[in-house]
Amino acid sequence: MNKFFIDIWESLKIALQALRTNKLRSFLTTLGIIIGITTVIGILSIIRGLNDSFYTSISALGSDNLYIQKFAWFSRDDWLEARNRKNITMKEVDAIQKQATLVKAVAPVVGARRTVKYKSEQLKNVSITGSTEYYMVTGNVVPEYGRPLSEQDVEHRRAVCVIGWEVADKLFKKVSPLGRRIKLGSFKFRVVGVLEKRGSLFGNNLDSEVIIPFGVFQKLYGSRRWMTIEVKVKDQERIEEAKDELVGILRRVRKVAPGEDNDFAINQQDMIADMYKRLTTALYAVAFGVGSIALLVGGIGVMNILLVSITERTREIGIRKAIGAKNKNILWQFLIESIVISSLGGLLGIVFGLLIAKLISSASFLSASVSWPIIFIGIVFIAIVGLFFGIYPAYKAAKLNPIDALHYE
Amino acid sequence: MIIEIDDISKVYEVGTQEVHALRGVSMKVEDNEYLAIMGPSGSGKSTLMNVLGCLDTPSSGSYRFVNELVSEMNDDQLAEIRNREIGFVFQTFNLLPRATALHNVELPMIYNGTPSTKRKSLAKEALEKVGLSDRMDHRPSELSGGQRQRVAIARSLVNNPKIILADEPTGNLDTKTGEEIMEIFEELHDQGNTIILVTHEEYIAEHTNRIVRLRDGRIERDEATD
């Protein structure tokens, strides 16, 4: 074995022996580092978990979809101004349907939340969507069995509905829902289709939905509700062109004078992704900030305890030097002690961090996901912290005069 | 010739004052000598011992150790000489309190890269030599003073040094135990080792073949005993 490795190995054994002798003290010393690493690993795992579920659920929106609304998402526009804009109505929908060339489907969408009943079963807070047959295209909603809303359903304002997977599951435990009537308030709707399972979007359960014809919704819940026009474009590559076309149509229909700002907004999935990125960047920054401060404090703690330890073991250092330890042997001994203390703290921190992430993901809708590269980087980083904060005390120990050290009481 | 010092001085600065611990000391030590350095406290015998033991370098003068010029060496070279060529025995034993007797004896070999298995067998051998083969796994706190000093002697022997430097080796021991330790030194001397004792007690110095007496940093007398 190489002499250098013998040195390191012996230093490691000495360090572990020293830690065993002062178990409580070593643990308290590493606490700062434990807390720092726990926080960082916890936050990072949760961000990664969020990423996974975010990108899965955002895909439900469809990257070839546009959402025409009174408000722009995440905009800093004057809210009051936006509130006073003209409502979006069927007039716009009709105009787009007639004039737009780059559009595959257009659907007006209105929504409310209500309790849905079937016999003695009931499900609260179900999202009731009023729309047309085109919603099946724009919303990517596909019946698992039964049929979608049809043109006739919409045109004749039939009391029929297509229900989400969870509504079917909760209300109809034993029987097939097709042909049964569910109650919305005092109105009854015949179930014609059941959607396939879709999961959730930002904690919003997409499977707890009842889709009814647009006209029926307006009759039931009023026609002055804010409406979203969902548009699916023909070619995703030409989505910007499609937007321009829509802007032109909408300005004409809504009689926006040239030079005036649009009194509507065309939203799309990208905007959510952008917003999300900004949010997670902020979270990363928080994790980094908290982690750095805790590691700094922890590192100073390690340095402090090393200085104490060196003072306590001055005589030992003297003995070792007298019988032939070189300065670098003593330097390594304390550097390795520092790295070992830090790394132990780091490892405990990683374990706690993963546990906390696991705990959070099992107790809330947030999910956590472990990133091994991050953990690896973390361990290297902790070792560097140990090295950095160990250098000064170790150097001090290495430079001790053997005679003075031997006579230290 | 093992040791040859020529006109060695050592000056310490204590605050603004200069303390002359050694003022031109010259002496030679031949192979297999057994000698004592004596003198009252403040005579400079500790300083001389530190210089001879390569724990300290002289302010002026030259020190040759088996023809190597120690007085010009740096810290690492001195550490190497201490490790290979010098075995220390101290008044206060200076063992590592948390290590077993065996590990204490292994210690000098850790710093010259001796592999672990060889280290263990050599350390056991050295402990057997001082009669402690049944105490190897004991820590210093579990050993008597005499036993601790034997561990220290085993440690000093284990690298087969050119000289053994013993600083008041019986100072912390009762008379009877002290005599036992002196017997070990005598045996080691008979086996061909070179031993330098530092002591202020005549009856201990009487065991040796030569006594160097220091006073005020100078050699007062250097004579063979009968």
Side-chain angles (χ1 to χ4, degrees):
Chain A
M1 203 168 31
N2 185 309
K3 189 168 179 302
F4 177 75
F5 286 108
I6 296 186
D7 282 353
I8 299 291
W9 177 239
E10 292 302 332
S11 305
L12 194 65
K13 285 205 282 191
I14 295 167
L16 290 176
Q17 158 95 61
L19 293 187
R20 270 202 301 273
T21 317
N22 293 309
K23 284 193 201 77
L24 179 63
R25 190 166 90 182
S26 309
F27 174 73
L28 292 177
T29 306
T30 56
L31 214 52
I33 288 177
I34 293 177
I35 292 169
I37 298 293
T38 303
T39 316
V40 172
I41 294 288
I43 295 181
L44 291 186
S45 297
I46 286 168
I47 294 179
R48 264 181 61 93
L50 274 180
N51 282 349
D52 292 350
S53 63
F54 177 79
Y55 286 108
T56 334
S57 61
I58 198 182
S59 66
L61 287 178
S63 56
D64 51 359
N65 271 24
L66 296 171
Y67 301 86
I68 300 166
Q69 288 164 323
K70 271 165 85 171
F71 297 102
W73 296 341
F74 317 119
S75 117
R76 287 170 202 188
D77 289 353
D78 183 4
W79 193 77
L80 277 176
E81 184 272 320
R83 226 180 89 101
N84 289 330
R85 289 170 175 177
K86 270 194 290 190
N87 277 344
I88 289 172
T89 64
M90 280 306 282
K91 229 165 63 184
E92 282 91 329
V93 180
D94 292 340
I96 293 167
Q97 225 144 22
K98 284 194 192 104
Q99 297 168 27
T101 58
L102 299 168
V103 159
K104 191 155 127 199
V106 185
V109 178
V110 280
R113 285 188 177 276
R114 292 290 184 275
T115 299
V116 180
K117 289 181 186 155
Y118 173 69
K119 290 190 175 163
S120 60
E121 301 289 339
Q122 65 167 16
L123 197 58
K124 282 184 180 155
N125 211 23
V126 176
S127 131
I128 313 295
T129 304
S131 190
T132 64
E133 66 273 24
Y134 296 110
Y135 180 62
M136 303 292 152
V137 181
T138 61
N140 286 328
V141 288
V142 186
E144 190 177 330
Y145 50 95
R147 62 170 180 86
L149 282 187
S150 70
E151 200 186 333
Q152 286 74 28
D153 294 335
V154 177
E155 201 182 329
H156 299 119
R157 298 183 183 178
R158 286 180 182 154
V160 294
C161 64
V162 174
I163 60 177
W165 180 86
E166 192 180 303
V167 179
D169 188 54
K170 293 254 168 77
L171 290 187
F172 303 94
K173 296 229 162 80
K174 287 179 187 130
V175 292
S176 162
L178 289 186
R180 314 265 170 197
R181 285 158 192 274
I182 58 170
K183 269 172 91 179
L184 276 175
S186 53
F187 293 86
K188 286 185 172 172
F189 289 81
R190 188 160 52 86
V191 177
V192 295
V194 176
L195 300 177
E196 53 183 33
K197 203 169 179 175
R198 292 159 79 201
S200 65
L201 178 66
F202 315 124
N204 211 345
N205 188 349
L206 295 176
D207 293 317
S208 180
E209 187 178 24
V210 171
I211 305 167
I212 60 176
F214 184 76
V216 183
F217 185 98
Q218 284 201 317
K219 226 164 66 183
L220 264 163
Y221 303 121
S223 56
R224 294 184 55 82
R225 288 175 169 266
W226 288 347
M227 179 167 104
T228 300
I229 303 177
E230 285 192 23
V231 176
K232 194 164 214 81
V233 300
K234 278 181 183 158
D235 182 358
Q236 200 195 324
E237 302 290 312
R238 296 174 68 191
I239 195 162
E240 289 305 315
E241 271 177 71
K243 264 163 91 176
D244 290 342
E245 189 185 55
L246 288 171
V247 168
I249 296 170
L250 289 166
R251 285 178 71 96
R252 256 176 282 135
V253 174
R254 292 167 73 84
K255 300 194 173 67
V256 181
E260 261 181 59
D261 289 340
N262 293 341
D263 63 349
F264 56 89
I266 301 180
N267 295 311
Q268 66 190 99
Q269 184 212 49
D270 290 7
M271 296 162 75
I272 301 181
D274 283 350
M275 184 64 198
Y276 177 76
K277 262 184 209 140
R278 262 183 281 158
L279 248 164
T280 46
T281 309
L283 269 177
Y284 276 122
V286 168
F288 184 77
V290 172
S292 309
I293 291 169
L295 280 181
L296 182 72
V297 173
I300 292 169
V302 170
M303 180 154 104
N304 185 33
I305 215 69
L306 269 184
L307 288 170
V308 170
S309 168
I310 285 163
T311 310
E312 280 176 357
R313 286 148 73 191
T314 302
R315 214 178 156 94
E316 174 190 324
I317 295 165
I319 296 171
R320 287 178 187 277
K321 287 195 139 191
I323 62 174
K326 293 178 183 160
N327 291 354
K328 66 161 199 234
N329 296 122
I330 304 295
L331 188 80
W332 272 115
Q333 177 183 333
F334 286 100
L335 268 188
I336 284 180
E337 189 167 325
S338 171
I339 292 173
V340 167
I341 294 179
S342 311
S343 306
L344 281 180
L347 286 177
L348 282 176
I350 286 169
V351 171
F352 288 152
L354 293 180
L355 282 178
I356 285 179
K358 193 117 197 143
L359 213 72
I360 290 177
S361 69
S362 65
S364 73
F365 71 90
L366 294 169
S367 56
S369 149
V370 178
S371 155
W372 294 110
I374 285 180
I375 288 179
F376 177 76
I377 291 169
I379 292 173
V380 172
F381 194 63
I382 300 154
I384 291 173
V385 167
L387 198 66
F388 181 78
F389 286 97
I391 282 176
Y392 172 67
Y395 180 78
K396 213 180 139 193
K399 279 286 161 196
L400 279 177
N401 178 326
I403 302 167
D404 296 342
L406 269 176
H407 293 120
Y408 183 85
E409 291 298 332
Chain B
M1 189 79 63
I2 292 194
I3 285 174
E4 188 175 357
I5 56 176
D6 187 30
D7 196 21
I8 276 187
S9 301
K10 182 74 190 178
V11 185
Y12 294 108
E13 274 179 34
V14 180
T16 53
Q17 262 189 323
E18 285 191 343
V19 176
H20 293 260
L22 295 174
R23 305 163 185 261
V25 173
S26 301
M27 69 185 274
K28 289 174 184 175
V29 178
E30 304 278 352
D31 199 17
N32 199 23
E33 268 201 83
Y34 187 14
L35 69 102
I37 297 173
M38 291 199 72
S41 51
S43 61
K45 63 180 192 304
S46 289
T47 307
L48 182 58
M49 148 106 187
N50 288 338
V51 170
L52 290 177
C54 298
L55 286 166
D56 206 353
T57 46
S59 308
S60 68
S62 75
Y63 175 14
R64 280 175 193 284
F65 189 96
V66 200
N67 285 326
E68 285 185 272
L69 199 57
V70 172
S71 42
E72 302 288 310
M73 284 182 175
N74 64 26
D75 283 359
D76 277 1
Q77 289 168 316
L78 289 173
E80 217 159 286
I81 293 275
R82 289 198 297 270
N83 184 259
R84 278 190 288 115
E85 313 287 14
I86 300 168
F88 287 98
V89 179
F90 300 96
Q91 175 175 5
T92 50
F93 321 128
N94 279 337
L95 300 172
L96 295 190
R98 290 192 290 264
T100 60
L102 188 69
H103 186 81
N104 265 297
V105 177
E106 271 183 66
L107 209 55
M109 292 183 284
I110 287 175
Y111 294 117
N112 59 25
T114 312
S116 172
T117 42
K118 194 176 172 200
R119 239 161 44 200
K120 289 221 156 50
S121 68
L122 285 173
K124 276 181 193 164
E125 225 174 88
L127 280 167
E128 276 160 21
K129 250 192 216 173
V130 296
L132 276 183
S133 41
D134 56 337
R135 290 281 189 277
M136 293 193 195
D137 297 325
H138 291 236
R139 288 169 191 229
S141 57
E142 299 158 347
L143 297 172
S144 70
Q147 286 168 333
R148 287 184 213 183
Q149 198 58 301
R150 283 167 200 245
V151 174
I153 293 172
R155 182 179 66 187
S156 75
L157 288 174
V158 79
N159 268 342
N160 253 326
K162 288 267 176 357
I163 59 167
I164 294 168
L165 265 180
D167 183 10
E168 305 274 11
T170 58
N172 277 19
L173 302 173
D174 60 64
T175 320
K176 186 169 161 286
T177 319
E179 282 301 321
E180 282 167 21
I181 294 297
M182 292 317 293
E183 269 165 42
I184 296 177
F185 281 122
E186 238 150 87
E187 269 170 52
L188 292 174
H189 175 233
D190 291 344
Q191 287 162 14
N193 287 294
T194 310
I195 299 169
I196 301 176
L197 282 183
V198 176
T199 184
H200 62 266
E201 288 178 289
E202 283 296 336
Y203 80 96
I204 294 293
E206 286 301 328
H207 286 84
T208 67
N209 304 333
R210 173 184 166 193
I211 298 177
V212 177
R213 290 177 200 275
L214 286 181
R215 185 173 285 276
D216 299 331
R218 291 193 178 86
I219 292 181
E220 188 184 42
R221 259 191 295 166
D222 181 350
E223 57 193 8
T225 54
D226 331 299

